[in-house]
Structure formats: C-alpha cells, structure tokens
Amino acid sequence: MLLVASLLVVIWGGGALLRLSAQRRVAAMAAVWALVVLTHLILPPEAGLRLATGGDARGWLVLGGVVAVVGLYRLVIRALKARVPPPAPVADPASFGAVELDRYARHIILREIGGPGQKRLKAAKVLVVGAGGLGSPALLYLAASGVGTIGVIDADLVDNSNLQRQIIHADARIGMAKVQSALVAMRALNPFVSLRPYQRRLTEDIAADLLADYDLILDGTDNFDTRYLVNRSAVAAGKPLISGAITQWEGQLSLFDPGQGGPCYACVFPTRPAPGMVPSCAEAGVAAPLPGIIGSMMAMEAVKHLTGAGETLRGRLMIHDALYAETRVIAVKRRSDCPVCGGTA
C-alpha cells in the first residue's frame, strides 16, 4: 500500500513540476490503480507483488468506487453550473454611464465638485419635508443635480392656489397627491435618481425611523409644529438640517448642524411664536418667485454640504428681502442651555 501511495504522490507532484495538466495526472494515477487491481485479479494470493499492494483487491475497488463517485459528482456540478447563466454585473452605485456623464458635465468641470463630488451626490440620500413652495424648487434642483436618493413627505393634495408659486406641480395634476405630482416632475427631469414618496404628515411616531435612513434633511414646511419636530428628530438622529422659511417678500435659511458644532433650529428660535403672530402665506400672501429663490438656495446648500464645496451656512443665518433686493447674513451661535441640542456635540 505504501509503495503505491508513494508512486501516486510522485505522479501527482512530478507531473505538476513537469507542468502536465491535472487531467493527464489523474489519467496516470487511474492507470496505476487499474494495474494494481488487475494484479490482484490475475496473480495468486501468495504472490509478492499482490502482498505488497495490500493482498486483497476489495480495498482498491472500494477506493476506486469512492474516487469515481466524487469525480462524477464534480462533473455533474460543473455541468449544472454551466447551464446557469452568469449573474448580471452589479453596477457600482457611484458609477456613471455616458448619458449621466454628459448630463452632469457642468458639475464635473467645476473644481470644487468634480468627479468625486458628483459621486458623493449620487451616493447621497436626502429627505425633503414638504412639497410646497420651498420644497418645489429644492426637489427639482436636487434631482437635476444628481442626488442619488430623494425622499419627500407631504400629506396634501395639489390645489389651484398652489400653482402661483409651487412650480413642481401643474394644472393637469390638481387633486393629485403632492408627493406623487412631485415624482412625476422629478422623473421627467432626471430618470437616473431614486425617488421615495411618503404621502402622510410627519409625526412624532415615525420621524425618528424616517430621518435615520437619510444623510441630510431639508425642511420647507409652513408650520412651526412640524419645524420644531423636524429639528428635534434631526438632532436626535445626528442629521444635518437645512431649514428655510418665507413670508410675503422675505425669506431666510440656514444649515443647522449641532454635530459639527453649529446651532440647531431651537438655538436660534427657542420659542414658538404665539398663534396668529406669524401669518401663513394664505393669510399674508407671498411673492411668487420668493420660494423659488429660497428653495433654490436650500438645494445649493445641500449640494455644497454633500460635496464639501465652498462654505455653507452652518452657524450663519441668511435673510433675503426681495422687496428691496437686500440680502444679509448674520452669525448664529449654539446655546449651551438649548433643551434640544445643548451638550450633545
């Protein structure tokens, strides 16, 4: 037995050194096995060669049978694998096809964004709360910019009175859910982005789970209850928040990011205005282009934050007076006694 085993090792190892194929080495080993079995079948039991190779053919026959079964199993598996079509290649989520490269070329040639910045935009997930006056331009420009995943949450339906300023909607979509109307417009603008509509109001019971799945939050809502809820949830989830607001001829926005040392919304606006103190757009009116200006700036801040370009409005509040064409930026600081973000950085 030892003699045959040594011979088989020599055949396998020596064949490898001589660069013989595995099939040829297996064939040579099979020939040795057949010769040993034949020796046991022909020679008498007392023959020295037969005694040197175990004295009995049954062991060799069992060994040959096991090897044959294993070999047959491998052949069957190989044949089955050959019949299965190869899996489709998984696309790199940050890679771009020729159409996308052409689409985003004006971004890519910007030194501050370039290819790496555009990849970061494609890999980013941004949630926009509200598909109204501010959400409309923000959503369109986020989609146009190539933000990979855009979520939008709003419970309202498109109304005729919205169309004076909410440019993502259309007359033909009056009565449609705003999130679905926004989807129609964004898909028509850029089919390469993933869209997630949530047709409901943002409430305390879903806010934490919803915001946790996004990298950046944009708040374009028109009521203070939701603004404070979005801020609390963003701080708790450690998500930066771009918040905008408009009334009549004036708008403001900032990037609230306590995780990076900036203030949160409650640091700057610690007290909710009393009911009736700040009239709604329906009550006070709003110039049609104003939400376009502020909403577009919100998208601009999002692009800068996600790509690392330039200087964002973290720690600063921009106030725009459209009536007198004046814009000013004031510094805002974090409050150590803020009940929402104090001491969490």
Side-chain angles (χ1 to χ4, degrees):
M1 289 288 289
L2 184 60
L3 176 64
V4 177
S6 300
L7 181 59
L8 294 176
V9 170
V10 169
I11 291 174
W12 187 260
L17 291 175
L18 294 174
R19 298 185 178 180
L20 295 177
S21 66
Q23 290 86 346
R24 289 188 176 184
R25 284 178 280 163
V26 169
M29 294 170 71
V32 171
W33 172 84
L35 183 60
V36 171
V37 171
L38 187 61
T39 298
H40 281 269
L41 295 176
I42 295 176
L43 296 179
E46 65 276 8
L49 185 57
R50 184 170 174 176
L51 293 174
T53 54
D56 193 339
R58 286 177 295 182
W60 291 103
L61 291 172
V62 170
L63 176 62
V66 170
V67 172
V69 169
V70 172
L72 181 62
Y73 173 78
R74 293 185 63 182
L75 288 174
V76 170
I77 294 298
R78 187 177 300 174
L80 291 175
K81 286 183 177 180
R83 296 177 61 182
V84 177
V90 178
D92 179 358
S95 65
F96 300 96
V99 175
E100 286 182 282
L101 286 173
D102 181 60
R103 179 181 294 259
Y104 305 132
R106 273 66 174 177
H107 260 182
I108 294 171
I109 62 175
L110 288 174
R111 180 185 60 189
E112 296 82 0
I113 296 180
Q118 194 62 45
K119 285 186 176 182
R120 285 193 285 271
L121 288 175
K122 187 170 186 177
K125 294 189 287 186
V126 177
L127 175 67
V128 178
V129 184
L134 294 173
S136 289
L139 286 164
L140 287 172
Y141 274 114
L142 290 173
S145 297
V147 172
T149 302
I150 303 171
V152 54
I153 180 168
D154 196 309
D156 293 340
L157 307 180
V158 178
D159 184 79
N160 181 58
S161 63
N162 301 146
L163 301 182
Q164 170 251 8
R165 64 203 176 280
Q166 299 182 17
I167 58 172
I168 204 168
H169 308 303
D171 187 79
R173 298 199 291 274
I174 290 175
M176 181 184 291
K178 282 188 176 181
V179 293
Q180 296 299 332
S181 174
L183 242 65
V184 171
M186 288 189 286
R187 279 182 179 149
L189 179 63
N190 190 350
F192 297 101
V193 298
S194 175
L195 306 173
R196 300 178 181 177
Y198 307 97
Q199 188 184 348
R200 60 169 301 168
R201 295 198 181 281
L202 184 70
T203 53
E204 199 86 46
D205 59 317
I206 67 165
D209 289 339
L210 181 60
L211 269 62
D213 197 32
Y214 290 89
D215 305 310
L216 175 65
I217 316 301
L218 272 65
D219 178 19
T221 55
D222 58 0
N223 72 84
F224 286 97
D225 288 339
T226 304
R227 288 182 196 171
Y228 283 99
L229 169 59
V230 172
N231 179 64
R232 290 194 305 272
S233 303
V235 171
K239 308 293 182 178
L241 167 66
I242 296 172
S243 181
I246 53 171
T247 183
Q248 296 184 323
W249 297 91
E250 186 174 288
Q252 61 187 32
L253 76 147
S254 184
L255 168 62
F256 299 108
D257 192 5
Q260 296 299 318
C264 77
Y265 182 85
C267 289
V268 182
F269 305 101
T271 306
R272 184 192 188 283
M277 288 293 294
V278 180
S280 67
C281 290
E283 296 167 328
V286 61
L290 180 63
I293 296 169
I294 303 301
S296 297
M297 286 295 297
M298 292 172 69
M300 185 75 265
E301 286 299 301
V303 169
K304 290 193 298 178
H305 173 78
L306 294 170
T307 62
E311 184 178 354
T312 66
L313 285 171
R314 183 187 297 114
R316 300 186 297 159
L317 178 69
M318 190 195 83
I319 303 170
H320 177 69
D321 185 339
L323 189 59
Y324 295 100
E326 293 179 350
T327 300
R328 57 197 176 102
V329 178
I330 61 174
V332 289
K333 295 183 179 180
R334 187 172 176 192
R335 291 173 45 230
S336 59
D337 62 341
C338 174
V340 178
C341 74
T344 61

